[in-house]
Amino acid sequence: MVVGAGITGLLTAIRGVLAGHRVVLLERGPVPHPGATSFDQHRALRALVVGDRAATRKAAELHRRWRELDALLCDHLPGAGLYRRVGVLQALPPGLVPAAVGTASAAGVPIRIVHPSAYPLLGFPRGSGAVFEPHAGTLLADRVLHAAARWLRHHPDAELRPGREAVAVDADRAVVRLADGTSVAGDVVLVATGPWTGELVDAPVALHRQTMVYLRPPAALAHAWAATPTAGGLGADGRAWLLPSVAGTLLKVSTDAVRREVTTLAGPDDDAGWAARVLAAGVVSDVDGYDVVRVKHCHYTTAEGGDTGFVRVGLAAWARPASGPDGFRTAPLAADAVVAALASPTRRDLR
């Protein structure tokens, strides 16, 4: 049984079904839920972690896993393309460019050195260099969620139960109590409710809020933006990132400078103030000529030690309480790992 139909819950359910389990997926709202933290237009998928060969090799595995998922989920929708390999650009201090090249080479990840002047629409830190990872790109996040839900609906070993809000989990008996007073029992419970996980199981985490601004470029620049890659290390302080207009999406910008630790998912926030800080970060050249279409606050959780996979929280329950800011792109590896941990010589029922 899987609780939560965000990216982690959906991919874990798919991985469980493919491994031969029967899976029931519980979700408090519709499936997929537009209020899930993973419901967004797009997310970046990159491999390069400068100076860390092991992390870069592990991240490179995600390219293969997402290509496999793209083929699986779009099997009956030729050309849909949930993973668009538009490349990822990373701005770096000039002294780190050789280290980036060395890390990528050792990990077998193709990159090339580029000059910021080749990307006049982007705002780079003064004097920075840049590297380009051509095999990286953008995941069309909300379309991934819809495709995953559609795949599960058509599989005989998967059962989606929208509108079933979990309010408590007995982690030793694999019993989930619902808001309507009923309970659902299974052999194993996998809790994948993102920032809400702490409401169901004992899993201390830090909660972070990030503000994202969605822009519509001037019509005269639409063609140029269509050829612009995903980019990080931008802005005057090098803490900003940008996802371009891909397959009809809006341009999305944000900066780590507006990330803040909070204590609750609810509560008012100053949309205009935080958006102004994002726009003032220098991510986009001549940003005043762009239309601000939407401002969104998203949340993610981190745990001491940096673990972002499933952890055991009882005799019959696992949870992914912390996913970090890269929770979407790393979800396939988290799902693979927990389903592998549940493997046994006989078939197990995750119902």
Side-chain angles (χ1 to χ4, degrees):
M1 181 162 47
V2 177
V3 182
I7 188 61
T8 298
L10 288 168
L11 293 191
T12 301
I14 289 173
R15 186 66 182 85
V17 166
L18 292 175
H21 303 291
R22 293 181 58 226
V23 179
V24 167
L25 180 62
L26 305 174
E27 168 55 50
R28 59 179 178 149
V31 180
H33 195 326
T37 57
S38 52
F39 197 95
D40 193 9
Q41 290 191 354
H42 37 25
R43 296 293 177 89
L45 179 56
R46 56 178 175 76
L48 178 62
V49 183
V50 179
D52 193 331
R53 299 176 184 180
T56 300
R57 289 192 189 98
K58 184 175 181 180
E61 174 67 10
L62 285 166
H63 293 312
R64 181 186 67 82
R65 290 293 291 115
W66 276 109
R67 289 198 301 273
E68 291 174 350
L69 283 165
D70 201 359
L72 176 72
L73 300 179
C74 295
D75 182 52
H76 59 299
L77 298 171
L82 302 172
Y83 174 23
R84 302 298 176 93
R85 303 182 82 179
V86 297
V88 171
L89 180 75
Q90 190 168 345
L92 296 167
L96 284 184
V97 171
V101 172
T103 301
S105 177
V109 173
I111 67 166
R112 64 175 183 264
I113 300 173
V114 296
H115 196 277
S117 63
Y119 302 93
L121 298 178
L122 306 182
F124 290 83
R126 184 180 297 274
S128 64
V131 295
F132 179 70
E133 188 180 337
H135 290 179
T138 299
L139 297 165
L140 300 177
D142 51 1
R143 301 183 205 185
V144 170
L145 298 179
H146 280 290
R150 183 169 53 244
W151 188 92
L152 287 166
R153 287 192 193 99
H154 288 88
H155 201 288
D157 286 333
E159 181 183 349
L160 303 185
R161 297 185 186 178
R164 304 296 179 88
E165 181 180 1
V167 295
V169 173
D170 186 327
D172 292 329
R173 296 193 302 127
V175 176
V176 177
R177 184 162 59 86
L178 304 178
D180 62 7
T182 63
S183 296
V184 184
D187 288 338
V188 178
V189 178
L190 304 176
V191 181
T193 51
W196 293 271
T197 300
E199 298 176 5
L200 300 177
V201 297
D202 183 17
V205 294
L207 178 65
H208 304 264
R209 183 175 296 158
Q210 182 84 32
T211 299
M212 301 178 292
V213 179
Y214 298 78
L215 304 171
R216 181 174 289 115
L221 297 179
H223 182 72
W225 274 114
T228 300
T230 296
L234 300 179
D237 60 4
R239 301 174 66 186
W241 46 264
L242 172 150
L243 281 89
S245 304
V246 176
T249 64
L250 294 167
L251 175 66
K252 181 172 72 176
V253 296
S254 192
T255 170
D256 194 53
V258 302
R259 178 188 58 81
R260 57 272 192 202
E261 194 168 322
V262 296
T263 57
T264 177
L265 290 159
D269 216 330
D270 179 10
D271 288 11
W274 288 111
R277 291 185 61 179
V278 172
L279 296 176
V283 189
V284 177
S285 302
D286 300 320
V287 73
D288 290 342
Y290 292 67
D291 293 329
V292 176
V293 179
R294 185 184 181 195
V295 177
K296 179 182 178 182
H297 306 298
C298 71
H299 296 86
Y300 65 88
T301 49
T302 57
E304 188 175 351
D307 187 16
T308 60
F310 277 90
V311 294
R312 194 157 196 165
V313 292
L315 296 176
W318 297 69
R320 193 189 188 197
S323 58
D326 292 328
F328 196 104
R329 73 181 181 100
T330 59
L333 296 185
D336 290 350
V338 73
V339 173
L342 298 175
S344 67
T346 59
R347 174 179 170 142
R348 298 191 65 173
D349 189 346
L350 297 189
R351 183 182 54 188

